[in-house]
Structure formats: C-alpha cells, structure tokens
Amino acid sequence: MKSKIIFCSIAELRAQLTPLIQEYFWVSTQIAEQLYDTRIIKHVNRWHVNVNILIEFPYVDRVYRDSYYKYFATKMTDYPRDCIRLSLFNGPVTPNEFRENLLVADLQKKYLGYMVLRPSQPNIVGRSMISPMALQTHQFLTLTSTASTTACSVKLIAEGFPHSSQDTETISCAETSVWAIMEYFASRYNEYKPALPSHIIEVLKDRFNVRQLPSGGLNMEHIAYALKKFGFGPKIYDANQFGPVDFPRLLSCYIESGIPLIVALDNRPTGRIGHAVIWVGHSYVTDTQIDTLPVATEQNTKLARLITARRISLFDNDDIKKEYVTIDDNYPSYQLTTFDRPTTYYADPAWATCRVTHFVAPLYTKVYLDAFEAKNHVKTLFLTLDFNFAPGTSIFLRVFLASSRSYKDYLTQNAKMQPDIRDFILETPMPKFIWVGELSDKTLIKKQQAAGLVILGATEKDQSNYKALVFAGHGDRHYYQDSDNKELKKISVTLGVFTIYSNNLKSF
Amino acid sequence: MAIQFNRREEILNRLKQEGRILQMDSEEFFRNKEAINNLVFEIKREYQEKERMSIIAASEMILTS
C-alpha cells in the first residue's frame, strides 16, 4: 500500500481527490466523481476561497475502524479498512513548512481542522472537526471543543464542533448525535469519555428486543438512556407537554447555557421523517430583534398575576426569534435554522414540514434543578422580593446555567460591577453549577449590560424557604442566605449596571 | 508575611456597623415566604407531570433519517 500526501487548493481538490477515492475506496472513476459531486462538494462549497487542503492516505480513523471490525468486516463484500484525511489550512501550505522548526509554529495559526473520508459509500464523509473560521460565513455564537491531531506528522490542535455523516448501517442520525455529544464533552471535561459506535450499541443492548445491526435508529428515550450510561443526568422535553410558549423558551435557555441539545425533528404522520440533529449555538441578536420583542406571555397564572400586580412589562430573552446553529449528519456543520422551520436548509421538499417535537439536554448529573423550574423560580424571586420596581418598569430577563468557576472568573474581570457586591458574590460558596437570571431592560441589553441579578444553586432541587437562593440583587436591595442561621438577609448597597455574562458560547 | 484575604467578612462587618444589613423576620416576610413555598410546590408538581409525560412520548419517537 502506497501512502500519498498531496497539497492543493480548493480549485484543485476534485482533480486530486477523485483518483484517490477510486484507487483506495475500490470504486470506478465514475463513482468516485459522483461521490465527490454529491457528497463532498456540499462541504467544500461552504469553505472560504483561501482554504488550502492537505490530503493524506492511509489514515486510520478510530470511528470507522470500530464500525469496520464490528460490522463491515463481517460481510462477504470486501470493504477497505483505511480512510483519507483532508486537513484544512488558511492560505497555501508547502511541505517545507511541516519539516522546518521555525515554520511549524505558524502552521497552528493557519490550521482550520480536518475531515475524514471513509470507504462506506455513498456516505463517505466521516468524522470532522472544522473551525467556523473555515466557512465563508461564520457570524454566529457556538460551542466548540478542541482535539489533538496531526497533519503530515506535525501535531496540531483542531477546534470546532464534532461532526460526521451517518453511514446508515452502523450509525444512523441518532447514534451519530450521541457520538458527537460524547466527542464534544470528552474533549472538554475529564468526567466523560468518547463513545465509539460499538460502545453505543453495547450500552443499549438490554433496551432492545430486536437486533441492533444494521441500525434501525434509536428513539429519544434510547438516546437519553445512552447519555445516562455515559455519565450524564439527561432531561427530555416534549413539545406537546411544555406547549408552544414554554417549549421553545426552554430550548433557547439551554442553548444560552452552552448545553448542546439533541433535537428531534419529525413530520409524521403526514410525512415519514424522524430525524436527530444537535443544536449548538445561535445567531447574533440584533438591536432590531430586541426593539421589536413583544412582552412575554406568562404561562403560570400565579406568576402572571404577580407581574400584573407589580405593573411590570417582562421581556424574555428566550422569546427572541434567533437562528440556531445546527450539526446535522445529512449536511455540513454549522447550518443555521429557526425553531419554527428547523429544516430550511434541506433542498428536498419532503423535509419542509418537519417540526421540533422533543429535545434531550445532557446535563451534568448534579444539576438537579432543570430550566423549567429554575426560570420560574428566578421570576418568583424577583417578583416577590422587595425590589424597588417603579410601576411601568420594563424588565428584560435572561436566564442561563453556568459553572460557578466560569461565572466567578467572569466576575473578577467585570470591573463595572459595584466592587462590594462583586467581592461579596466572589467569596460566596457556590455549587459547581448555578442558574443565573440577569435583569436588564431593552436599552441596557443592547449595550450588553444588566442592572439586577438572581443566582440559584443548580444542585438544590428544593426551592422552598429560599434554599436554592445564592444571591439576588437589584437597585439598592440585595438578598443572601446567612451561612450561620440560614435566614435571609437584606443588604442596602447600590448595585448600578454591570456587563452581562457571555462566556457560555464562543463568537466567530 | 502571610496575608489573610476575606473581603466578604470585611464587607459584611462594615455594612453591619453602618446599619445596612437587615434580617428578614417580619410577619409580612414570613407570609410572603409561605406564599412563595406554595407557588414553588405548584410549579414542581406541574414540572413532574410534564416530565413524566415527556419520557413516555419520547419512547415512541424513533429517529432514523
């Protein structure tokens, strides 16, 4: 077996790649060209014109090898074992840059990630981690992770959200979503490990009464169960149960919290599609979207009465009609779509009627307080604590989950917050995760500022007697639990305005 | 020389001396707390029911496309 290393531009890619596909994936020239024109081109067309590519063969891909030994090698038909890897760089790269010490350091700056091509035709686009910076348009906020990899034997770090197309035999959209979630979390947190296709099959074997290979897909409960076995405390949300107002708000709240969600898209019974995708971020919020945001409809009648009684106009950040960043195994990474029409990027009209029916939130096991209860509790607290809201006050509410480490780190750099309050919060003991409600108004939020704060401990499921309250403050009134006698105390200090927390999603 | 760093205590002591810390123990506060506890309990029950039904519905949502 001959190894091949080719450096080329986007314009040269088809001519360089199709002979390799033909030779190494054991297909005819016609099929190799067809694979490029139907499967690869849709990825390449989104890349920036400056992107240059390094093609390498053979590449041993751990995910494909897992599927190969577990499944493809058990067939009579011969399947190749090796893959082709494309590494992306911003601008031209030459072989010398990979061999001269002084030039190697600059490669990392140019590196935009990789894409693996596997011999599972026609679905040959395998594992990829491509930076949003490789795309022609990347104006969005998204989650990314990093992975240590190599290109032409040089160690590099790729940044992006893990993506793979489904091979339809060992992994369908559902398994691919679980795989991508695990790749993401494993690269960011020590608590988690990557899950190969065979691991997913193994953890679910007792949940199936029928064979699992070839894959017939998973249901949403299987997805949640697999995530639980891989160390999460997942939660499932059904659109019919939470309704047309709360369901999209909860989804938005988790995305704002930096939690990647496995989202179910469905058009049955009128259609025949049930599909899993991952939502990992959202588009930038414009001033116009904030200006035109209507007053929030409160679903809980008691909370609605409290809002009316206090003569407050409440605006909910989760009501903004954002575009969501989607990782879809039928399409290249980072598709933008909306909650109401989640399959806008599909050319096939059969997909047009798909709607979001469920989502699974892979939460840290000790986040006992979910978004529904947390949001309602934030509202309850700021409406019932003795904050001095003048009648007619407008409040723009933004609620999100954050790690207390990240939140405190942000506070240390938030010079605008009143110093006493900032130091007080910084030295307040908190659980690993907290729910934060920032109180702002339309003018302040456009300047990325807030004027009030409610912090809840995410590990406290029992919200009675202010148990979940860590801190609440607005204007000149602030509340905290006294650590000695567990009673609520009020501090009188003027808070002023401060910069909002924005570390959950990365902007590109 | 070692430096002890506890701004929170310093702030609380200072605010206490200035009379800017108040323990919430009025009758009105306890009535309010009881109302909040009732609302919290109601929301918790609502969530438990919606969560239970979501899990049941999720088992029928097969994803293959």
Side-chain angles (χ1 to χ4, degrees):
Chain A
M1 180 173 54
K2 279 184 189 170
S3 65
K4 278 262 171 76
I5 300 174
I6 298 169
F7 294 85
C8 69
S9 64
I10 285 185
E12 296 161 329
L13 185 62
R14 188 179 189 274
Q16 294 298 327
L17 192 56
T18 48
L20 301 185
I21 294 172
Q22 185 258 316
E23 184 180 353
Y24 298 128
F25 290 0
W26 309 343
V27 294
S28 66
T29 304
Q30 188 201 358
I31 288 180
E33 287 174 352
Q34 205 176 47
L35 287 170
Y36 186 91
D37 295 338
T38 58
R39 304 289 163 163
I40 300 171
I41 193 77
K42 58 187 179 185
H43 294 260
V44 176
N45 280 346
R46 302 180 84 227
W47 298 344
H48 197 276
V49 285
N50 286 340
V51 168
N52 276 247
I53 301 119
L54 164 65
I55 310 170
E56 291 175 282
F57 179 88
Y59 175 66
V60 178
D61 180 61
R62 59 188 158 88
V63 179
Y64 175 67
R65 277 291 171 97
D66 182 74
S67 295
Y68 175 83
Y69 287 120
K70 183 81 182 175
Y71 177 73
F72 291 108
T74 65
K75 295 185 181 188
M76 186 183 165
T77 312
D78 280 340
Y79 283 80
R81 289 187 312 168
D82 296 317
C83 298
I84 298 169
R85 183 173 59 182
L86 311 181
S87 298
L88 279 61
F89 292 89
N90 186 13
V93 281
T94 60
N96 280 349
E97 290 177 71
F98 290 82
R99 296 295 177 262
E100 287 183 25
N101 260 348
L102 291 172
L103 299 176
V104 162
D106 287 337
L107 278 175
Q108 182 61 56
K109 291 178 195 160
K110 291 184 181 179
Y111 187 54
L112 295 170
Y114 63 86
M115 185 166 101
V116 173
L117 303 177
R118 64 187 176 212
S120 54
Q121 48 271 16
N123 304 297
I124 63 167
V125 175
R127 200 161 63 95
S128 76
M129 188 180 268
I130 291 173
S131 165
M133 297 306 285
L135 307 183
Q136 290 165 30
T137 51
H138 48 76
Q139 283 76 40
F140 49 77
L141 299 144
T142 186
L143 295 167
T144 58
S145 60
T146 55
S148 175
T149 183
T150 64
C152 199
S153 305
V154 172
K155 279 188 173 178
L156 294 168
I157 304 291
E159 184 186 14
F161 198 92
H163 176 275
S164 175
S165 70
Q166 53 182 297
D167 64 24
T168 70
E169 294 189 58
T170 65
I171 48 170
S172 72
C173 57
E175 290 95 340
T176 311
S177 298
V178 174
W179 165 81
I181 288 281
M182 294 315 301
E183 284 280 312
Y184 167 76
F185 277 102
S187 70
R188 291 199 62 162
Y189 306 103
N190 292 335
E191 287 95 330
Y192 308 104
K193 287 181 181 167
L196 294 169
S198 64
H199 298 155
I200 300 169
I201 291 166
E202 182 63 24
V203 297
L204 289 170
K205 70 178 181 188
D206 293 335
R207 310 284 289 189
F208 273 84
N209 299 322
V210 294
R211 68 182 186 190
Q212 293 167 270
L213 282 174
S215 175
L218 306 176
N219 66 39
M220 284 302 268
E221 198 190 11
H222 290 145
I223 290 174
Y225 182 80
L227 292 173
K228 194 182 87 166
K229 296 296 276 184
F230 292 137
F232 291 95
K235 293 295 233 178
I236 300 173
Y237 295 84
D238 174 16
N240 288 332
Q241 293 305 317
F242 286 90
V245 176
D246 279 341
F247 182 73
R249 279 182 185 164
L250 291 168
L251 190 149
S252 162
C253 181
Y254 279 120
I255 294 291
E256 200 65 56
S257 302
I259 307 286
L261 302 176
I262 298 185
V263 175
L265 309 178
D266 184 56
N267 66 0
R268 292 166 290 193
T270 52
R272 305 174 97 177
I273 295 164
H275 183 47
V277 294
I278 308 173
W279 285 10
V280 296
H282 63 73
S283 55
Y284 288 109
V285 172
T286 64
D287 286 356
T288 311
Q289 283 176 310
I290 292 168
D291 287 335
T292 55
L293 185 67
V295 172
T297 314
E298 182 49 57
Q299 296 297 286
N300 185 292
T301 48
K302 284 191 179 168
L303 283 175
R305 258 184 262 139
L306 278 169
I307 292 168
T308 309
R310 296 211 64 171
R311 296 166 71 186
I312 287 169
S313 297
L314 182 64
F315 299 90
D316 191 334
N317 181 59
D318 295 323
D319 284 345
I320 295 174
K321 302 280 183 198
K322 297 172 274 252
E323 285 184 294
Y324 289 103
V325 180
T326 305
I327 303 292
D328 186 332
D329 63 355
N330 292 328
Y331 274 83
S333 304
Y334 315 114
Q335 299 291 330
L336 285 174
T337 192
T338 61
F339 176 85
D340 294 328
R341 306 190 78 80
T343 49
T344 42
Y345 50 90
Y346 274 80
D348 183 349
W351 287 74
T353 52
C354 284
R355 294 292 175 265
V356 179
T357 57
H358 297 77
F359 69 84
V360 174
L363 299 179
Y364 179 67
T365 45
K366 293 172 187 68
V367 174
Y368 302 132
L369 193 59
D370 96 305
F372 181 83
E373 288 186 271
K375 273 196 83 169
N376 279 308
H377 199 46
V378 166
K379 288 182 211 168
T380 304
L381 289 174
F382 84 75
L383 289 168
T384 54
L385 289 170
D386 187 25
F387 289 136
N388 193 15
F389 299 127
T393 298
S394 287
I395 293 174
F396 182 98
L397 178 65
R398 183 170 167 263
V399 179
F400 54 87
L401 186 68
S403 76
S404 53
R405 277 175 47 158
S406 297
Y407 193 75
K408 286 188 174 183
D409 181 61
Y410 136 86
L411 277 182
T412 61
Q413 292 156 47
N414 194 336
K416 284 189 176 170
M417 186 177 277
Q418 203 278 343
D420 279 352
I421 298 296
R422 187 185 68 160
D423 287 341
F424 182 85
I425 298 171
L426 278 171
E427 289 181 39
T428 299
M430 293 184 196
K432 188 166 177 164
F433 285 95
I434 51 172
W435 283 101
V436 180
E438 289 174 339
L439 310 182
S440 188
D441 62 32
K442 285 189 174 185
T443 309
L444 285 177
I445 199 68
K446 284 189 277 188
K447 292 187 272 185
Q448 305 282 297
Q449 289 178 332
L453 196 59
V454 178
I455 302 175
L456 306 176
T459 56
E460 188 47 82
K461 177 76 175 167
D462 181 4
Q463 301 141 69
S464 64
N465 300 318
Y466 304 104
K467 272 188 204 154
L469 178 65
V470 175
F471 177 85
H474 184 273
D476 59 357
R477 295 165 195 193
H478 312 278
Y479 297 86
Y480 73 100
Q481 292 264 21
D482 189 308
S483 52
D484 295 331
N485 62 11
K486 306 292 176 201
E487 294 292 346
L488 198 69
K489 289 198 170 169
K490 180 162 85 172
I491 308 173
S492 303
V493 176
T494 303
L495 176 62
V497 297
F498 57 92
T499 308
I500 61 169
Y501 178 79
S502 58
N503 296 4
N504 277 337
L505 298 169
K506 186 169 178 180
S507 59
F508 284 93
Chain B
M1 196 175 74
I3 301 169
Q4 199 168 351
F5 184 83
N6 194 336
R7 289 250 172 90
R8 192 174 190 266
E9 283 307 309
E10 285 170 26
I11 292 163
L12 285 175
N13 288 337
R14 176 162 44 83
L15 293 175
K16 201 172 177 182
Q17 281 169 10
E18 292 168 4
R20 293 203 279 172
I21 296 185
L22 179 71
Q23 177 145 330
M24 304 301 287
D25 54 7
S26 66
E27 273 187 34
E28 189 195 345
F29 169 76
F30 286 113
R31 269 200 307 275
N32 197 20
K33 187 160 97 168
E34 205 48 45
I36 293 172
N37 287 350
N38 290 338
L39 181 53
V40 159
F41 183 70
E42 216 173 85
I43 291 167
K44 186 179 175 183
R45 290 289 295 271
E46 182 189 350
Y47 173 68
Q48 281 174 337
E49 182 62 11
K50 287 178 173 177
E51 184 189 34
R52 196 176 63 83
M53 297 305 286
S54 288
I55 294 166
I56 293 168
S59 66
E60 291 174 3
M61 176 55 60
I62 297 169
L63 306 166
T64 58
S65 302

